[in-house]
Amino acid sequence: MQYRRFGRTELQMPVFSCGGMRYQHSWKDVPPTDIPRKNQENLEATIRRALEVGINHIETARGYGTSEIQLGQILPGLERESLIVQTKVSPTADPAEFRQNLTQSLANLRLDTVDLLGLHGINTAEILDWTLRPSGCMEVAREFQRQGRVRFIGFSTHAPTAVIQQAIASDAFDYVNLHWYYVNQDNWAALDTAQRHDVGVFIISPSDKGGHLYSPPAKLVDLCNPLSPMVFNDLFCLSHPQVHTLSIGAARPTDFDEHLKTLPLLEDADAHLKPVLDRLHRHAQTVLGEDWLHTWKIGLPSADETPGHINIPAILRLRNLLLAFDMEDYAKARYNMLGNAGHWFPGEKAENLSQVDLSECLCRSPHAEKIPHLLAETHAALAGQAMARLSNA
């Protein structure tokens, strides 16, 4: 395993982390007696495999159902000094509710101290305010820190880049969990801000939100050859020193294996990446057109600025991935979360285009005239059963 300094925490963080979102028994709290032994054995085998390969950062959240309580069955029996344990608790308008949830998290994990506490889902300016305002949730977190029950405090986010940068620039946080990978590089400015403020950077879900890379389409496999799409994306992220760790949301012990193939390539990452990046770019340019590929994002409004709250940037990005790389399963899954995931994936699908006038909000786009047609075309290709977030956190 390779390790990187995790910003101002000074922790030596493995470049891969063991995320706790996929191996738990249930997304809802249930009594330990209701957790099947087979499921618990799989979780414990996954943790032991992580430690065996040097992944000593174990990450979970209060919103991940039984994940915390199941980890509480194994973590206290492991060598505590060798572990970096992280949980996440969502800020609330009422700090007393946050306090109760944080207390429950620590009780579930059966640990005196967690190394990293993340304020989970700072996705809007309002939630950031709940956290940082006087007598807000941060004051509760600081109290737990003074008591020695929390070492470092960070946040996880699906927010617009500007909100992420605002949170980092507050200097209230030691690290950030955010999205950034090959198929969506919008948060690069936030990574740059994190580096300037010496904030640790943890990339959320690079193999799932980064393209459903556990089951990539044949087109993407071919374009990434000789790397697998998963190794390509890992290498792409970790080739940037601003990135410190990638979450592996392991569901079973073998889920680490493909990721580990990245490690011997890191020393000469650029040489391995360049031919793949060139091939991906050339193919996307051929399919989508050079002008569109370089200008499609210019002048696009946010969902809040768009009639009907249609998330135009997200929809057009999914269209690009569908056409260029055959990423149909990923595009459908993400598209059908629109309108069903709240502030975790904001905005609506393009199903009511006939009822809205987009001309004003698109006035700064060089593609204003054709975008409504492209949105309709994408809706026809991707619309299906509504998808909710796995977690209600």
Side-chain angles (χ1 to χ4, degrees), residues 181-184 204-217 220 229-230 233 318 321 325-331 334:
Y181 21 72
Y182 178 74
V183 300
N184 188 349
I204 302 170
S205 194
S207 295
D208 182 30
K209 305 302 188 297
H212 283 193
L213 302 180
Y214 286 102
S215 54
L220 191 62
M230 185 180 291
N233 191 53
L318 294 175
L321 297 175
F325 306 133
D326 292 351
M327 296 175 69
E328 182 176 2
D329 289 346
Y330 173 74
R334 299 302 290 170

mmCIF file of all heavy atoms in Angstrom, residues 181-184 204-217 220 229-230 233 318 321 325-331 334:
data_model
loop_
_atom_site.group_PDB
_atom_site.id
_atom_site.type_symbol
_atom_site.label_atom_id
_atom_site.label_comp_id
_atom_site.label_asym_id
_atom_site.label_seq_id
_atom_site.Cartn_x
_atom_site.Cartn_y
_atom_site.Cartn_z
ATOM 1 N N TYR A 181 -13.642 12.736 -10.574
ATOM 2 C CA TYR A 181 -13.107 11.586 -11.300
ATOM 3 C C TYR A 181 -13.175 11.895 -12.793
ATOM 4 O O TYR A 181 -13.634 12.970 -13.187
ATOM 5 C CB TYR A 181 -13.881 10.298 -10.979
ATOM 6 C CG TYR A 181 -15.258 10.515 -10.425
ATOM 7 C CD1 TYR A 181 -16.298 10.979 -11.233
ATOM 8 C CD2 TYR A 181 -15.522 10.294 -9.079
ATOM 9 C CE1 TYR A 181 -17.556 11.199 -10.711
ATOM 10 C CE2 TYR A 181 -16.779 10.513 -8.549
ATOM 11 C CZ TYR A 181 -17.793 10.964 -9.372
ATOM 12 O OH TYR A 181 -19.043 11.191 -8.851
ATOM 13 N N TYR A 182 -12.754 10.963 -13.621
ATOM 14 C CA TYR A 182 -12.618 11.262 -15.043
ATOM 15 C C TYR A 182 -13.932 11.732 -15.655
ATOM 16 O O TYR A 182 -13.940 12.691 -16.440
ATOM 17 C CB TYR A 182 -12.093 10.042 -15.806
ATOM 18 C CG TYR A 182 -11.998 10.314 -17.287
ATOM 19 C CD1 TYR A 182 -10.989 11.136 -17.788
ATOM 20 C CD2 TYR A 182 -12.942 9.805 -18.182
ATOM 21 C CE1 TYR A 182 -10.907 11.428 -19.145
ATOM 22 C CE2 TYR A 182 -12.868 10.093 -19.535
ATOM 23 C CZ TYR A 182 -11.856 10.904 -20.013
ATOM 24 O OH TYR A 182 -11.789 11.200 -21.359
ATOM 25 N N VAL A 183 -15.048 11.092 -15.343
ATOM 26 C CA VAL A 183 -16.302 11.431 -16.022
ATOM 27 C C VAL A 183 -16.947 12.694 -15.481
ATOM 28 O O VAL A 183 -17.941 13.163 -16.046
ATOM 29 C CB VAL A 183 -17.323 10.265 -15.965
ATOM 30 C CG1 VAL A 183 -16.767 9.021 -16.626
ATOM 31 C CG2 VAL A 183 -17.770 9.979 -14.532
ATOM 32 N N ASN A 184 -16.425 13.253 -14.404
ATOM 33 C CA ASN A 184 -16.962 14.507 -13.871
ATOM 34 C C ASN A 184 -15.872 15.221 -13.084
ATOM 35 O O ASN A 184 -15.616 14.903 -11.928
ATOM 36 C CB ASN A 184 -18.176 14.263 -12.978
ATOM 37 C CG ASN A 184 -18.853 15.555 -12.567
ATOM 38 O OD1 ASN A 184 -18.323 16.642 -12.775
ATOM 39 N ND2 ASN A 184 -20.029 15.450 -11.977
ATOM 40 N N ILE A 204 -15.107 10.459 -3.057
ATOM 41 C CA ILE A 204 -16.261 9.595 -2.803
ATOM 42 C C ILE A 204 -16.545 8.716 -4.015
ATOM 43 O O ILE A 204 -16.614 9.192 -5.141
ATOM 44 C CB ILE A 204 -17.518 10.443 -2.513
ATOM 45 C CG1 ILE A 204 -17.305 11.377 -1.317
ATOM 46 C CG2 ILE A 204 -18.731 9.553 -2.286
ATOM 47 C CD1 ILE A 204 -18.418 12.405 -1.152
ATOM 48 N N SER A 205 -16.701 7.435 -3.798
ATOM 49 C CA SER A 205 -17.339 6.522 -4.743
ATOM 50 C C SER A 205 -16.817 6.612 -6.186
ATOM 51 O O SER A 205 -17.596 6.728 -7.126
ATOM 52 C CB SER A 205 -18.853 6.789 -4.732
ATOM 53 O OG SER A 205 -19.557 5.764 -5.372
ATOM 54 N N PRO A 206 -15.500 6.551 -6.386
ATOM 55 C CA PRO A 206 -14.988 6.699 -7.747
ATOM 56 C C PRO A 206 -15.387 5.573 -8.694
ATOM 57 O O PRO A 206 -15.434 5.769 -9.906
ATOM 58 C CB PRO A 206 -13.467 6.731 -7.546
ATOM 59 C CG PRO A 206 -13.237 6.030 -6.255
ATOM 60 C CD PRO A 206 -14.416 6.373 -5.400
ATOM 61 N N SER A 207 -15.693 4.401 -8.152
ATOM 62 C CA SER A 207 -16.042 3.284 -9.038
ATOM 63 C C SER A 207 -17.531 3.147 -9.289
ATOM 64 O O SER A 207 -17.936 2.453 -10.229
ATOM 65 C CB SER A 207 -15.500 1.969 -8.472
ATOM 66 O OG SER A 207 -14.091 2.002 -8.469
ATOM 67 N N ASP A 208 -18.360 3.793 -8.475
ATOM 68 C CA ASP A 208 -19.803 3.764 -8.693
ATOM 69 C C ASP A 208 -20.256 5.079 -9.304
ATOM 70 O O ASP A 208 -20.621 5.156 -10.474
ATOM 71 C CB ASP A 208 -20.538 3.482 -7.384
ATOM 72 C CG ASP A 208 -22.050 3.402 -7.582
ATOM 73 O OD1 ASP A 208 -22.481 2.996 -8.687
ATOM 74 O OD2 ASP A 208 -22.795 3.747 -6.647
ATOM 75 N N LYS A 209 -20.203 6.158 -8.526
ATOM 76 C CA LYS A 209 -20.578 7.464 -9.070
ATOM 77 C C LYS A 209 -19.640 7.889 -10.189
ATOM 78 O O LYS A 209 -19.978 8.728 -11.021
ATOM 79 C CB LYS A 209 -20.573 8.523 -7.963
ATOM 80 C CG LYS A 209 -21.438 8.194 -6.755
ATOM 81 C CD LYS A 209 -22.890 7.958 -7.113
ATOM 82 C CE LYS A 209 -23.757 7.824 -5.862
ATOM 83 N NZ LYS A 209 -23.404 6.667 -5.011
ATOM 84 N N GLY A 210 -18.449 7.305 -10.232
ATOM 85 C CA GLY A 210 -17.494 7.603 -11.275
ATOM 86 C C GLY A 210 -17.695 6.804 -12.544
ATOM 87 O O GLY A 210 -16.824 6.800 -13.416
ATOM 88 N N GLY A 211 -18.844 6.102 -12.669
ATOM 89 C CA GLY A 211 -19.144 5.456 -13.945
ATOM 90 C C GLY A 211 -19.616 4.017 -13.899
ATOM 91 O O GLY A 211 -19.577 3.344 -14.931
ATOM 92 N N HIS A 212 -20.052 3.513 -12.714
ATOM 93 C CA HIS A 212 -20.438 2.095 -12.611
ATOM 94 C C HIS A 212 -19.316 1.205 -13.149
ATOM 95 O O HIS A 212 -19.525 0.320 -13.985
ATOM 96 C CB HIS A 212 -21.741 1.822 -13.364
ATOM 97 C CG HIS A 212 -22.963 2.285 -12.650
ATOM 98 N ND1 HIS A 212 -24.231 1.922 -13.017
ATOM 99 C CD2 HIS A 212 -23.131 3.099 -11.570
ATOM 100 C CE1 HIS A 212 -25.132 2.485 -12.220
ATOM 101 N NE2 HIS A 212 -24.468 3.209 -11.331
ATOM 102 N N LEU A 213 -18.120 1.407 -12.636
ATOM 103 C CA LEU A 213 -16.943 0.756 -13.199
ATOM 104 C C LEU A 213 -16.769 -0.684 -12.744
ATOM 105 O O LEU A 213 -15.870 -1.390 -13.214
ATOM 106 C CB LEU A 213 -15.694 1.578 -12.879
ATOM 107 C CG LEU A 213 -15.740 3.021 -13.404
ATOM 108 C CD1 LEU A 213 -14.464 3.764 -13.057
ATOM 109 C CD2 LEU A 213 -15.986 3.055 -14.909
ATOM 110 N N TYR A 214 -17.640 -1.156 -11.825
ATOM 111 C CA TYR A 214 -17.638 -2.578 -11.509
ATOM 112 C C TYR A 214 -18.209 -3.393 -12.664
ATOM 113 O O TYR A 214 -17.955 -4.585 -12.779
ATOM 114 C CB TYR A 214 -18.455 -2.838 -10.229
ATOM 115 C CG TYR A 214 -17.741 -2.408 -8.969
ATOM 116 C CD1 TYR A 214 -18.066 -1.213 -8.326
ATOM 117 C CD2 TYR A 214 -16.733 -3.184 -8.420
ATOM 118 C CE1 TYR A 214 -17.409 -0.818 -7.174
ATOM 119 C CE2 TYR A 214 -16.068 -2.802 -7.261
ATOM 120 C CZ TYR A 214 -16.409 -1.617 -6.647
ATOM 121 O OH TYR A 214 -15.750 -1.221 -5.504
ATOM 122 N N SER A 215 -18.993 -2.748 -13.520
ATOM 123 C CA SER A 215 -19.579 -3.430 -14.693
ATOM 124 C C SER A 215 -19.553 -2.471 -15.876
ATOM 125 O O SER A 215 -20.605 -2.023 -16.353
ATOM 126 C CB SER A 215 -21.009 -3.876 -14.389
ATOM 127 O OG SER A 215 -21.790 -2.775 -13.927
ATOM 128 N N PRO A 216 -18.368 -2.150 -16.373
ATOM 129 C CA PRO A 216 -18.238 -1.134 -17.426
ATOM 130 C C PRO A 216 -18.724 -1.653 -18.775
ATOM 131 O O PRO A 216 -18.659 -2.860 -19.055
ATOM 132 C CB PRO A 216 -16.736 -0.871 -17.461
ATOM 133 C CG PRO A 216 -16.120 -2.166 -17.025
ATOM 134 C CD PRO A 216 -17.065 -2.711 -15.990
ATOM 135 N N PRO A 217 -19.207 -0.762 -19.650
ATOM 136 C CA PRO A 217 -19.610 -1.174 -20.995
ATOM 137 C C PRO A 217 -18.393 -1.593 -21.826
ATOM 138 O O PRO A 217 -17.273 -1.132 -21.595
ATOM 139 C CB PRO A 217 -20.264 0.084 -21.571
ATOM 140 C CG PRO A 217 -19.663 1.217 -20.804
ATOM 141 C CD PRO A 217 -19.403 0.683 -19.430
ATOM 142 N N LEU A 220 -16.134 1.180 -23.266
ATOM 143 C CA LEU A 220 -15.193 1.803 -22.334
ATOM 144 C C LEU A 220 -14.028 0.865 -22.041
ATOM 145 O O LEU A 220 -12.875 1.311 -21.927
ATOM 146 C CB LEU A 220 -15.921 2.188 -21.044
ATOM 147 C CG LEU A 220 -15.161 3.087 -20.076
ATOM 148 C CD1 LEU A 220 -14.837 4.428 -20.719
ATOM 149 C CD2 LEU A 220 -15.957 3.296 -18.795
ATOM 150 N N PRO A 229 -11.173 -0.026 -16.927
ATOM 151 C CA PRO A 229 -11.730 1.295 -16.602
ATOM 152 C C PRO A 229 -11.556 1.666 -15.128
ATOM 153 O O PRO A 229 -11.317 2.836 -14.806
ATOM 154 C CB PRO A 229 -13.210 1.143 -16.980
ATOM 155 C CG PRO A 229 -13.195 0.168 -18.110
ATOM 156 C CD PRO A 229 -12.135 -0.841 -17.714
ATOM 157 N N MET A 230 -11.638 0.678 -14.239
ATOM 158 C CA MET A 230 -11.485 0.964 -12.811
ATOM 159 C C MET A 230 -10.061 1.409 -12.490
ATOM 160 O O MET A 230 -9.846 2.408 -11.790
ATOM 161 C CB MET A 230 -11.851 -0.265 -11.989
ATOM 162 C CG MET A 230 -11.854 -0.044 -10.494
ATOM 163 S SD MET A 230 -12.304 -1.544 -9.606
ATOM 164 C CE MET A 230 -14.038 -1.681 -10.056
ATOM 165 N N ASN A 233 -9.408 4.901 -13.928
ATOM 166 C CA ASN A 233 -9.981 5.992 -13.135
ATOM 167 C C ASN A 233 -9.220 6.189 -11.831
ATOM 168 O O ASN A 233 -8.966 7.329 -11.416
ATOM 169 C CB ASN A 233 -11.460 5.709 -12.850
ATOM 170 C CG ASN A 233 -12.165 6.912 -12.278
ATOM 171 O OD1 ASN A 233 -12.123 8.003 -12.836
ATOM 172 N ND2 ASN A 233 -12.828 6.727 -11.145
ATOM 173 N N LEU A 318 -24.588 13.420 -19.000
ATOM 174 C CA LEU A 318 -24.997 12.020 -19.160
ATOM 175 C C LEU A 318 -25.190 11.673 -20.629
ATOM 176 O O LEU A 318 -24.850 10.556 -21.063
ATOM 177 C CB LEU A 318 -26.271 11.758 -18.362
ATOM 178 C CG LEU A 318 -26.131 11.869 -16.834
ATOM 179 C CD1 LEU A 318 -27.487 11.696 -16.160
ATOM 180 C CD2 LEU A 318 -25.125 10.847 -16.297
ATOM 181 N N LEU A 321 -21.771 10.985 -22.114
ATOM 182 C CA LEU A 321 -21.231 9.689 -21.716
ATOM 183 C C LEU A 321 -21.962 8.540 -22.406
ATOM 184 O O LEU A 321 -21.345 7.530 -22.779
ATOM 185 C CB LEU A 321 -21.319 9.535 -20.195
ATOM 186 C CG LEU A 321 -20.498 10.534 -19.384
ATOM 187 C CD1 LEU A 321 -20.765 10.365 -17.894
ATOM 188 C CD2 LEU A 321 -19.002 10.389 -19.673
ATOM 189 N N PHE A 325 -19.327 6.795 -24.891
ATOM 190 C CA PHE A 325 -18.730 5.619 -24.253
ATOM 191 C C PHE A 325 -19.733 4.501 -23.970
ATOM 192 O O PHE A 325 -19.403 3.550 -23.251
ATOM 193 C CB PHE A 325 -18.035 6.034 -22.951
ATOM 194 C CG PHE A 325 -17.031 7.143 -23.120
ATOM 195 C CD1 PHE A 325 -17.027 8.229 -22.258
ATOM 196 C CD2 PHE A 325 -16.096 7.100 -24.146
ATOM 197 C CE1 PHE A 325 -16.106 9.256 -22.409
ATOM 198 C CE2 PHE A 325 -15.171 8.125 -24.304
ATOM 199 C CZ PHE A 325 -15.173 9.201 -23.444
ATOM 200 N N ASP A 326 -20.955 4.615 -24.486
ATOM 201 C CA ASP A 326 -21.991 3.585 -24.290
ATOM 202 C C ASP A 326 -22.328 3.353 -22.818
ATOM 203 O O ASP A 326 -22.709 2.244 -22.428
ATOM 204 C CB ASP A 326 -21.567 2.254 -24.915
ATOM 205 C CG ASP A 326 -21.513 2.299 -26.433
ATOM 206 O OD1 ASP A 326 -21.956 3.304 -27.008
ATOM 207 O OD2 ASP A 326 -21.026 1.322 -27.028
ATOM 208 N N MET A 327 -22.233 4.394 -21.993
ATOM 209 C CA MET A 327 -22.447 4.219 -20.550
ATOM 210 C C MET A 327 -23.933 4.306 -20.206
ATOM 211 O O MET A 327 -24.391 5.141 -19.427
ATOM 212 C CB MET A 327 -21.619 5.246 -19.784
ATOM 213 C CG MET A 327 -20.116 5.047 -19.983
ATOM 214 S SD MET A 327 -19.060 6.302 -19.223
ATOM 215 C CE MET A 327 -19.317 5.940 -17.480
ATOM 216 N N GLU A 328 -24.705 3.406 -20.767
ATOM 217 C CA GLU A 328 -26.160 3.449 -20.655
ATOM 218 C C GLU A 328 -26.644 3.167 -19.234
ATOM 219 O O GLU A 328 -27.509 3.882 -18.711
ATOM 220 C CB GLU A 328 -26.790 2.451 -21.619
ATOM 221 C CG GLU A 328 -28.314 2.462 -21.590
ATOM 222 C CD GLU A 328 -28.927 1.533 -22.620
ATOM 223 O OE1 GLU A 328 -28.166 0.846 -23.330
ATOM 224 O OE2 GLU A 328 -30.166 1.495 -22.712
ATOM 225 N N ASP A 329 -26.131 2.114 -18.603
ATOM 226 C CA ASP A 329 -26.598 1.777 -17.255
ATOM 227 C C ASP A 329 -26.319 2.913 -16.279
ATOM 228 O O ASP A 329 -27.180 3.279 -15.467
ATOM 229 C CB ASP A 329 -25.928 0.490 -16.767
ATOM 230 C CG ASP A 329 -26.429 -0.744 -17.488
ATOM 231 O OD1 ASP A 329 -27.469 -0.649 -18.180
ATOM 232 O OD2 ASP A 329 -25.783 -1.803 -17.371
ATOM 233 N N TYR A 330 -25.126 3.455 -16.357
ATOM 234 C CA TYR A 330 -24.763 4.566 -15.481
ATOM 235 C C TYR A 330 -25.634 5.781 -15.751
ATOM 236 O O TYR A 330 -26.179 6.398 -14.828
ATOM 237 C CB TYR A 330 -23.293 4.916 -15.692
ATOM 238 C CG TYR A 330 -22.832 6.157 -14.959
ATOM 239 C CD1 TYR A 330 -22.640 6.138 -13.586
ATOM 240 C CD2 TYR A 330 -22.565 7.342 -15.651
ATOM 241 C CE1 TYR A 330 -22.204 7.275 -12.913
ATOM 242 C CE2 TYR A 330 -22.122 8.471 -14.985
ATOM 243 C CZ TYR A 330 -21.948 8.438 -13.619
ATOM 244 O OH TYR A 330 -21.526 9.565 -12.958
ATOM 245 N N ALA A 331 -25.800 6.123 -17.038
ATOM 246 C CA ALA A 331 -26.583 7.306 -17.398
ATOM 247 C C ALA A 331 -28.034 7.158 -16.960
ATOM 248 O O ALA A 331 -28.637 8.107 -16.441
ATOM 249 C CB ALA A 331 -26.491 7.561 -18.902
ATOM 250 N N ARG A 334 -28.283 7.487 -13.036
ATOM 251 C CA ARG A 334 -28.128 8.852 -12.562
ATOM 252 C C ARG A 334 -29.299 9.727 -13.007
ATOM 253 O O ARG A 334 -29.812 10.534 -12.231
ATOM 254 C CB ARG A 334 -26.803 9.447 -13.066
ATOM 255 C CG ARG A 334 -25.558 8.711 -12.601
ATOM 256 C CD ARG A 334 -25.441 8.643 -11.105
ATOM 257 N NE ARG A 334 -25.155 9.950 -10.520
ATOM 258 C CZ ARG A 334 -25.201 10.200 -9.213
ATOM 259 N NH1 ARG A 334 -25.567 9.249 -8.366
ATOM 260 N NH2 ARG A 334 -24.920 11.399 -8.746
#
